[in-house]
Short mmCIF file of all heavy atoms in Angstrom, two decimals:
data_model
loop_
_atom_site.label_atom_id
_atom_site.label_comp_id
_atom_site.label_asym_id
_atom_site.label_seq_id
_atom_site.Cartn_x
_atom_site.Cartn_y
_atom_site.Cartn_z
N VAL A 1 99.85 97.27 104.22
CA VAL A 1 99.62 98.35 104.91
C VAL A 1 98.50 99.16 104.31
O VAL A 1 98.51 99.47 103.14
CB VAL A 1 100.88 99.36 105.21
CG1 VAL A 1 100.59 100.60 105.88
CG2 VAL A 1 101.95 98.56 105.86
N PHE A 2 97.48 99.55 105.16
CA PHE A 2 96.46 100.46 104.66
C PHE A 2 96.66 101.95 105.07
O PHE A 2 97.11 102.23 106.12
CB PHE A 2 95.20 100.04 105.28
CG PHE A 2 94.54 98.71 104.76
CD1 PHE A 2 94.98 97.51 105.46
CD2 PHE A 2 93.76 98.73 103.66
CE1 PHE A 2 94.47 96.32 104.94
CE2 PHE A 2 93.24 97.53 103.24
CZ PHE A 2 93.53 96.32 103.79
N ARG A 3 96.52 102.72 104.04
CA ARG A 3 96.65 104.20 104.24
C ARG A 3 95.44 104.87 103.63
O ARG A 3 94.83 104.54 102.56
CB ARG A 3 97.81 104.79 103.49
CG ARG A 3 99.21 104.23 104.04
CD ARG A 3 99.57 105.03 105.30
NE ARG A 3 100.96 104.61 105.74
CZ ARG A 3 101.11 103.70 106.76
NH1 ARG A 3 100.09 103.25 107.37
NH2 ARG A 3 102.21 103.40 107.08
N ILE A 4 94.92 105.98 104.42
CA ILE A 4 93.72 106.68 103.81
C ILE A 4 94.32 108.09 103.52
O ILE A 4 95.09 108.90 104.16
CB ILE A 4 92.64 106.92 104.93
CG1 ILE A 4 91.52 107.67 104.21
CG2 ILE A 4 93.18 107.56 106.08
CD1 ILE A 4 90.20 107.57 104.96
N GLU A 5 94.25 108.44 102.09
CA GLU A 5 94.85 109.62 101.52
C GLU A 5 94.09 110.86 101.84
O GLU A 5 92.88 110.89 101.86
CB GLU A 5 95.04 109.42 100.08
CG GLU A 5 96.00 108.30 99.73
CD GLU A 5 96.09 108.06 98.23
OE1 GLU A 5 95.27 108.68 97.54
OE2 GLU A 5 97.00 107.31 97.84
N LYS A 6 94.82 112.05 101.86
CA LYS A 6 94.18 113.37 101.97
C LYS A 6 93.04 113.46 103.03
O LYS A 6 92.10 114.12 102.80
CB LYS A 6 93.69 113.75 100.59
CG LYS A 6 94.77 113.81 99.55
CD LYS A 6 94.18 114.14 98.21
CE LYS A 6 95.39 114.10 97.12
NZ LYS A 6 94.62 114.45 95.79
N TYR A 7 93.10 112.83 104.13
CA TYR A 7 92.04 112.81 105.14
C TYR A 7 92.38 113.90 106.20
O TYR A 7 93.29 114.09 106.84
CB TYR A 7 92.09 111.48 105.81
CG TYR A 7 90.80 111.38 106.86
CD1 TYR A 7 89.60 111.11 106.41
CD2 TYR A 7 91.01 111.72 108.19
CE1 TYR A 7 88.56 111.04 107.19
CE2 TYR A 7 90.09 111.65 109.04
CZ TYR A 7 88.64 111.37 108.59
OH TYR A 7 87.66 111.20 109.41
N GLN A 8 91.20 114.73 106.33
CA GLN A 8 91.19 115.73 107.40
C GLN A 8 90.05 115.63 108.35
O GLN A 8 90.19 115.56 109.51
CB GLN A 8 91.13 117.15 106.87
CG GLN A 8 92.42 117.51 106.03
CD GLN A 8 92.30 118.85 105.38
OE1 GLN A 8 91.62 119.83 105.91
NE2 GLN A 8 92.96 119.10 104.26
N ASN A 9 88.87 115.41 107.80
CA ASN A 9 87.63 114.91 108.61
C ASN A 9 86.68 114.28 107.61
O ASN A 9 86.88 114.44 106.50
CB ASN A 9 87.09 116.14 109.33
CG ASN A 9 86.50 117.11 108.37
OD1 ASN A 9 85.54 116.92 107.54
ND2 ASN A 9 87.12 118.39 108.28
N ILE A 10 85.78 113.55 108.29
CA ILE A 10 84.85 112.76 107.46
C ILE A 10 84.04 113.52 106.54
O ILE A 10 83.79 113.13 105.36
CB ILE A 10 84.04 111.81 108.32
CG1 ILE A 10 83.38 110.72 107.58
CG2 ILE A 10 83.06 112.57 109.11
CD1 ILE A 10 84.35 109.63 106.89
N ASN A 11 83.47 114.57 106.94
CA ASN A 11 82.62 115.35 106.00
C ASN A 11 83.31 116.03 104.83
O ASN A 11 82.75 116.11 103.76
CB ASN A 11 81.82 116.50 106.80
CG ASN A 11 80.56 115.85 107.39
OD1 ASN A 11 79.77 115.17 106.79
ND2 ASN A 11 80.30 116.29 108.74
N LYS A 12 84.54 116.51 105.20
CA LYS A 12 85.27 117.09 104.03
C LYS A 12 85.66 115.93 102.91
O LYS A 12 85.52 116.11 101.82
CB LYS A 12 86.62 117.72 104.48
CG LYS A 12 87.40 118.35 103.38
CD LYS A 12 88.73 119.04 103.78
CE LYS A 12 89.40 119.74 102.64
NZ LYS A 12 89.71 118.76 101.47
N MET A 13 85.95 114.69 103.55
CA MET A 13 86.22 113.59 102.62
C MET A 13 85.02 113.19 101.82
O MET A 13 85.24 113.01 100.58
CB MET A 13 86.87 112.50 103.54
CG MET A 13 87.04 111.20 102.53
SD MET A 13 87.60 109.73 103.54
CE MET A 13 85.91 109.17 103.98
N LEU A 14 83.89 113.29 102.36
CA LEU A 14 82.68 112.92 101.74
C LEU A 14 82.26 113.93 100.65
O LEU A 14 81.83 113.65 99.58
CB LEU A 14 81.53 112.62 102.60
CG LEU A 14 81.71 111.45 103.64
CD1 LEU A 14 80.48 111.33 104.59
CD2 LEU A 14 81.89 110.15 102.80
N ASN A 15 82.54 115.21 100.96
CA ASN A 15 82.27 116.37 100.04
C ASN A 15 83.28 116.24 98.82
O ASN A 15 82.89 116.43 97.74
CB ASN A 15 82.37 117.74 100.80
CG ASN A 15 81.22 117.92 101.62
OD1 ASN A 15 80.29 117.21 101.63
ND2 ASN A 15 81.40 119.04 102.38
N ASP A 16 84.53 115.96 99.17
CA ASP A 16 85.53 115.85 98.21
C ASP A 16 85.18 114.66 97.22
O ASP A 16 85.34 114.80 96.04
CB ASP A 16 86.94 115.63 98.75
CG ASP A 16 87.46 116.80 99.44
OD1 ASP A 16 86.95 118.01 99.26
OD2 ASP A 16 88.49 116.59 100.23
N PHE A 17 84.87 113.54 97.83
CA PHE A 17 84.49 112.35 97.03
C PHE A 17 83.28 112.65 96.14
O PHE A 17 83.10 112.33 94.89
CB PHE A 17 84.21 111.13 97.92
CG PHE A 17 83.84 110.06 97.08
CD1 PHE A 17 84.68 109.28 96.30
CD2 PHE A 17 82.47 109.57 97.23
CE1 PHE A 17 84.15 108.20 95.65
CE2 PHE A 17 81.98 108.51 96.51
CZ PHE A 17 82.83 107.75 95.62
N SER A 18 82.25 113.28 96.71
CA SER A 18 81.03 113.65 95.93
C SER A 18 81.30 114.56 94.74
O SER A 18 80.68 114.32 93.65
CB SER A 18 80.05 114.38 96.85
OG SER A 18 79.56 113.56 98.00
N GLU A 19 82.17 115.46 94.96
CA GLU A 19 82.72 116.38 93.93
C GLU A 19 83.35 115.56 92.81
O GLU A 19 83.03 115.76 91.55
CB GLU A 19 83.59 117.38 94.37
CG GLU A 19 83.96 118.48 93.48
CD GLU A 19 82.88 119.58 93.36
OE1 GLU A 19 82.19 119.79 94.37
OE2 GLU A 19 82.70 120.08 92.37
N GLU A 20 84.17 114.57 93.10
CA GLU A 20 84.91 113.73 92.13
C GLU A 20 83.91 112.90 91.60
O GLU A 20 83.97 112.63 90.26
CB GLU A 20 86.00 112.84 92.89
CG GLU A 20 87.19 113.63 93.38
CD GLU A 20 87.89 114.32 92.28
OE1 GLU A 20 88.07 113.64 91.25
OE2 GLU A 20 88.31 115.41 92.44
N ALA A 21 82.87 112.29 92.27
CA ALA A 21 81.85 111.34 91.63
C ALA A 21 81.08 112.05 90.65
O ALA A 21 80.50 111.38 89.73
CB ALA A 21 81.01 110.81 92.86
N MET A 22 80.95 113.33 90.58
CA MET A 22 80.16 113.92 89.61
C MET A 22 80.84 113.86 88.21
O MET A 22 80.18 114.02 87.27
CB MET A 22 79.97 115.46 89.89
CG MET A 22 79.13 115.85 91.21
SD MET A 22 78.77 117.54 91.48
CE MET A 22 77.44 117.75 90.16
N LYS A 23 82.09 113.49 88.17
CA LYS A 23 82.86 113.30 86.92
C LYS A 23 82.93 111.92 86.58
O LYS A 23 83.47 111.75 85.53
CB LYS A 23 84.19 113.91 87.11
CG LYS A 23 84.30 115.45 87.69
CD LYS A 23 85.74 115.80 88.03
CE LYS A 23 85.90 117.04 88.86
NZ LYS A 23 87.17 117.28 89.46
N PHE A 24 82.42 111.05 87.44
CA PHE A 24 82.67 109.54 86.99
C PHE A 24 81.99 109.21 85.77
O PHE A 24 80.70 109.50 85.54
CB PHE A 24 82.06 108.70 88.15
CG PHE A 24 82.87 108.63 89.47
CD1 PHE A 24 84.17 109.29 89.42
CD2 PHE A 24 82.55 107.92 90.52
CE1 PHE A 24 84.93 109.26 90.59
CE2 PHE A 24 83.24 107.70 91.59
CZ PHE A 24 84.43 108.42 91.70
#
């Protein structure tokens, strides 16, 4: 089963991910 976590809309997801990626 596939699940996408903490999803509200695509732009918020991409912003959240970009914020996380700054710490990679």
Side-chain angles (χ1 to χ4, degrees):
V1 176
F2 287 91
R3 294 278 184 265
I4 185 163
E5 298 178 348
K6 302 178 182 177
Y7 183 83
Q8 294 180 30
N9 63 67
I10 192 67
N11 274 315
K12 182 178 185 305
M13 182 183 80
L14 295 177
N15 289 348
D16 288 345
F17 175 70
S18 297
E19 191 78 30
E20 291 298 319
M22 295 188 77
K23 308 169 194 170
F24 284 0

